[in-house]
Amino acid sequence: MKTIAIAGAGDLAKFVVEALEEAGAYTCKIVVISRARREWFATRKSIEIRITDYTLKSLKPLLVDVDVLFSCLHDNTSFYVQGHNALLQACISSPRCKRFVPSEYGGDIDKFPCIPRFYKDTHCAFREILRSKDHGVEWTLVNAGYFMDYFLPPEKTHMKPLPTVWPIGDKKATIPGFGNEPIGFTLARDVARGLIKLIEAPKWDEHIYMCAEITTWNDILDRMRSLGIKSKQSASFFIS
């Protein structure tokens, strides 16, 4: 039986846990690594919660019996690099944990590796650490574009609203670019299902992309107008 660990007890981690629970063929032990016992996770019998402060000292004993580590840590400060580097070093020290998926899940990092700009000091900085030497840990950067879940009413998803990031608000839309640029969307639950397929994959590419639908912001707005949709809270019209 493999032990699968998820670092960061946040919204996406809930979908990963559910995907692991659904995938009976994997028959794995699920470990959630967190700074505190979060209620949603603590009430599930399938999960073992391990508490950490994301220092190497605290992480090393937590990954001794882990086979694959998924990170769902989201942070726009230097903690992103510090936390992920500690996770990587703990994997290096572990006798078993030699597969690691850092927290990315964003856009096209081949063409635009440091967009948005705050990625330069966070995601880009940690990618350099990953690539800096042959540390013996296999890793991949998974990207899925925008989460479709932000079109859904809050009760239909684990993902919390992102009013300062999501372009479509209740009364207006602030569309990046000209609105005709192609963009990808994927439901968080499908991203999670894709992630756990990596557990049994024989080899990982450096970059893996997932996408359910490619469209444009202008097309989305046109579809919303045609249906008379004015609020993002009811804009679940194109999600099957």
Side-chain angles (χ1 to χ4, degrees):
M1 178 183 290
K2 289 187 176 179
T3 299
I4 311 302
I6 306 160
D11 298 339
L12 181 59
K14 295 176 182 178
F15 285 107
V16 179
V17 167
E18 289 176 339
L20 287 167
E21 291 173 340
E22 291 170 3
Y26 291 109
T27 317
C28 63
K29 179 179 180 180
I30 307 171
V31 170
V32 173
I33 297 171
S34 175
R35 282 177 281 201
R37 291 180 62 84
R38 311 296 180 188
E39 183 178 358
W40 187 93
F41 298 90
T43 57
R44 301 182 88 84
K45 295 181 180 179
S46 65
I47 298 171
E48 178 187 335
I49 299 176
R50 299 179 181 178
I51 303 300
T52 182
D53 59 3
Y54 288 105
T55 60
L56 178 58
K57 181 179 179 180
S58 74
L59 286 168
K60 283 177 68 174
L62 304 187
L63 297 186
V64 169
D65 63 337
V66 168
D67 296 286
V68 182
L69 172 62
F70 294 102
S71 173
C72 293
L73 289 178
H74 176 74
D75 194 273
N76 297 331
T77 72
S78 59
F79 172 73
Y80 179 92
V81 179
Q82 295 164 5
H84 276 89
N85 190 36
L87 289 169
L88 174 61
Q89 297 305 317
C91 287
I92 294 171
S93 299
S94 170
R96 287 171 52 178
C97 193
K98 302 304 177 184
R99 288 190 135 183
F100 176 35
V101 181
S103 181
E104 286 276 351
Y105 320 119
D108 187 344
I109 61 173
D110 285 291
K111 294 180 180 178
F112 309 102
C114 293
I115 298 296
R117 291 184 178 89
F118 60 78
Y119 271 23
K120 180 179 179 181
D121 296 325
T122 55
H123 293 63
C124 293
F126 180 65
R127 291 175 205 150
E128 289 301 312
I129 295 174
L130 277 174
R131 299 180 177 122
S132 63
K133 59 182 178 180
D134 183 13
H135 41 62
V137 177
E138 186 179 17
W139 53 272
T140 185
L141 305 177
V142 177
N143 297 273
Y146 278 100
F147 286 119
M148 275 183 174
D149 298 64
Y150 297 122
F151 285 107
L152 292 170
E155 65 272 14
K156 298 293 185 179
T157 179
H158 296 308
M159 308 299 284
K160 298 180 183 66
L162 290 176
T164 59
V165 177
W166 186 245
I168 300 176
D170 289 333
K171 296 182 179 179
K172 67 178 182 179
T174 305
I175 302 304
F178 294 98
N180 294 318
E181 297 83 358
I183 48 176
F185 292 89
T186 315
L187 278 173
R189 69 166 178 258
D190 291 331
V191 173
R193 288 167 177 166
L195 285 175
I196 68 167
K197 292 292 185 181
L198 296 174
I199 296 169
E200 301 299 333
K203 187 178 184 301
W204 293 354
D205 294 329
E206 271 198 17
H207 300 167
I208 293 176
Y209 291 92
M210 304 177 187
C211 186
E213 179 173 346
I214 296 178
T215 184
T216 68
W217 285 116
N218 285 342
D219 179 61
I220 290 169
L221 292 177
D222 287 343
R223 293 158 78 178
M224 292 177 70
R225 292 188 191 102
S226 69
L227 295 172
I229 296 173
K230 298 180 180 180
S231 170
K232 66 176 181 179
Q233 297 301 318
S234 58
S236 56
F237 55 95
F238 70 94
I239 299 178
S240 60

